[in-house]
Amino acid sequence: MPTVESKTPVFQAGSSATLNIRVVKNGEAEDVSAATRKNLIYIKPRTGERVVVALSNLTDGADGWLTVTFTPAQIQAAGSYPCQLDLKYGDWDGPTKTFAFECLPNL
């Protein structure tokens, strides 16, 4: 099962934050350059709303790096955002283990 390698990122709520994620398996970067599905699924902390956003390759995808830039409306509430990737590449089709990113409140 592929996993996500990333430090827990922290953003300001209501920002245009960018999340960079690397897909790894057995400690090695997975080549996601030919992936036909690359989504980030996350849950908004206040409402429990499930949101799916498309990911792009950060580089050419061979190094496993994926990225997404959120609109201010997508991460407007402070709190922990549980999430996982939904990927289809090679012989993998499905979600990864869950992880989270954190949003701090604005003053």
Side-chain angles (χ1 to χ4, degrees):
M1 169 182 275
T3 59
V4 173
E5 183 179 272
S6 178
K7 294 179 182 170
T8 303
V10 178
F11 304 122
Q12 290 298 124
S15 67
S16 293
T18 298
L19 177 62
N20 296 325
I21 304 163
R22 188 166 80 143
V23 180
V24 296
K25 187 173 179 182
N26 300 324
E28 298 292 323
E30 284 282 88
D31 182 350
V32 293
S33 59
T36 57
R37 186 176 63 245
K38 300 176 285 193
N39 292 321
L40 173 73
I41 303 166
Y42 67 95
I43 305 295
K44 290 186 174 183
R46 286 190 189 159
T47 64
E49 177 186 356
R50 181 179 183 266
V51 181
V52 179
V53 293
L55 295 159
S56 302
N57 291 339
L58 182 61
T59 56
D60 66 359
D63 58 1
W65 283 102
L66 299 170
T67 188
V68 62
T69 299
F70 298 101
T71 66
Q74 289 174 317
I75 56 167
Q76 60 191 199
S80 180
Y81 286 66
C83 51
Q84 69 185 155
L85 303 183
D86 182 28
L87 304 169
K88 181 171 176 58
Y89 67 95
D91 61 355
W92 181 259
D93 184 358
T96 63
K97 291 183 179 181
T98 60
F99 60 103
F101 62 87
E102 196 74 29
C103 284
L104 303 175
N106 289 321
L107 297 177

